[in-house]
Amino acid sequence: MASVTPGVKQRVEQLRKNIQAASYAYYVLDAPTMEDAVYDRLYRELQDLENQYPELITPDSPTQRVGEKPASGFNSVRHNIPLYSLENAFNIAEFTKWQERWQRVSGSGEVSPDTPLYICELKIDGNAIALTYENGILVRGTTRGDGISGEDITQNVRTIRSIPLRLNLETPPKLVEVRGEAFLALDVFQQINQERQQAGETQFANPRNAAAGTLRQLDSKVVAKRRLDFFAYTLQIPGKDDVEVAQTQWEALELLQKMGFRVNPNRVLCKSLEDVQAYYDEWNTGRLNLPYMTDGVVVKINSFKLQEQLGFTQKFPRWAVALKYPAEEAPTRVENIIVNVGRTGALTPLAHLHPVELAGTTVQRATLHNSDRIAQLDIRIGDTVIVRKAGEIIPEVVRVLPELRPEGTQPFYIPSHCPVCNQPVIKPANEAVTRCVNASCPAILKGALEHWVSRDALDINGMGEKLVHQLLDKGVVHSVADLYDLTVEKLSALDRMGTKLAQKLVDAIAHSKTQPWSRVLYGLGIRHVGSTNAQLLTDKFSSVEQLAAATTPQIESLYGIGFEIANAVNQWFKVPANQSLIERLRAAGLQLASQEKPQQQTGKLSLAGKTFVVTGTLPTLKRDEAKDLIQKAGGKMTNSVSAKTDYLVVGEDAGSKLDKAQELGVKQLSEADLLAMLQ
């Protein structure tokens, strides 16, 4: 191997400097200083020299943005500085209340009229990232996670060209922490979805989901190809190291830009609430012309001194708030109305719409909920309607514009017979939902099978939706019990099913027989019985015989189980077909009783005697994982909030349970709070 000469080393350093400067001008300043062909030639020369002299390769080299090998997974790492979420305000009135709160905490609302009080920045709809630089070199990039810990995605972060691998400072501090938002530009997002559609792959729902999925790709070459972008918005220099640092958020953004980061240019200093409102109103319409998604405005107190004085609550900084925009609405046309049948037999009307762009995604369907909602809207095929993303996730029809209704349209009614099996449907007097009650209905059976094999139920690996459909279409199975009669020979006769795959499925089905009684009960799909209720029921009734023999009052006496659940369970076990199903499952070897486990508690039950409810989407834990952790620590889980509830664990998009908890004064916990209690 040739030795490195001073001339070669100097050339490598010069190439890196030229390429870094060109990347900064192109990706951050949007002012290219070099032709693409020249950039490519210099990049190739650097690549060739590093291949020839691998000892010259450094982590901050531009060639290291794309890893040579896919990552094997992501490690969880603790953030040097926690990443707090922001409190939300959905209108100026709520913002005013936030302002009054921080002024009370600070002890004074008096600020010089000539001093900019706030800085307003656009809230980029992406994924928060934490970056760590040591002596000016990027050493770590992590996801936000729960704010305390995140996933180490350094290899993928290196592919984002608006993130410098080396800070643009002659004498950088020993340690620099940068926070910002990774996102996908709208045109890039659309291109990715077009490519996925052509490849027969599922399209991403929106740019934020696409960015999140991209960041967690195990192959950084895929990440690089998707062209993620990044805006930096927070800078922290622990210890300061005698470096001149910013005194305000505005100065911090200026310093970030000097360091080589891309900073959103649409920021402004505001002296008053009126200035904030003007900025908010301006971008309510202006954001529609941006090349990326934004869902609100982040308002921060500009002075770092005042920020430090105000500090944090358990979940939020007191000195910042996210002023969110209302859910986006758009007009479109109803091209058809169909009725779907779910696993419980519920008939759900669905509007098929002329495609419309809504909150960055193309919407073609919207739920109409039930017959009462249809009557309330008086919606008809051909109507022009206003569609909104409920919670910015689920499309729904807000209202009909009858003045644009074509002539000759007819009112829509829920059919009197099931659209799948053609049997009569019923609508109980006390319910809004119309149901098919034919237990042999293919739609009900399909839903029952999909539920039975799902992860939270019997967790039969490899038994996906397509295979369930094929088993039904071929007439191979007619109930969940038939799954346990499947053999390699039967499965091998199906389309695209080899002997090896068939054997894996048979093994997975056999393994499901070891799932506990609580999962079997949940898998049966009894109305109102979720995974938590199933656990409560099986804790009390340790066998299927005990539960089947229990009366409605006996079941209802269990804390956390109401009449509706108790009655549904009692009635289910009275149906002869269900009794036959239980006998077949017993014969197949399913667990229909709790297994006695020796009490070998190695640590203290830190949550013993406490009752918990979980609501919303947690940052890192799935809801069943949180419940499992609570129960293992001796805590009790219920589905509904009451005066007996000790804690409500709150995630994003929390609903009525949070309102009830606030009304009753139930203590609220974040995921980070819960994990701290478990330590």
Side-chain angles (χ1 to χ4, degrees), residues 5 100 150 164 269 276 465 568 592-593 612:
T5 65
E100 292 170 352
L269 290 170
V276 172
E465 182 180 344
L592 299 176
F612 291 77

Side-chain angles (χ1 to χ4, degrees), residues 170-190:
E170 288 295 328
T171 55
K174 291 181 181 179
L175 182 64
V176 174
E177 294 284 335
V178 175
R179 305 291 186 258
E181 201 82 2
F183 66 96
L184 281 173
L186 291 173
D187 60 343
V188 175
F189 168 72
Q190 291 167 358

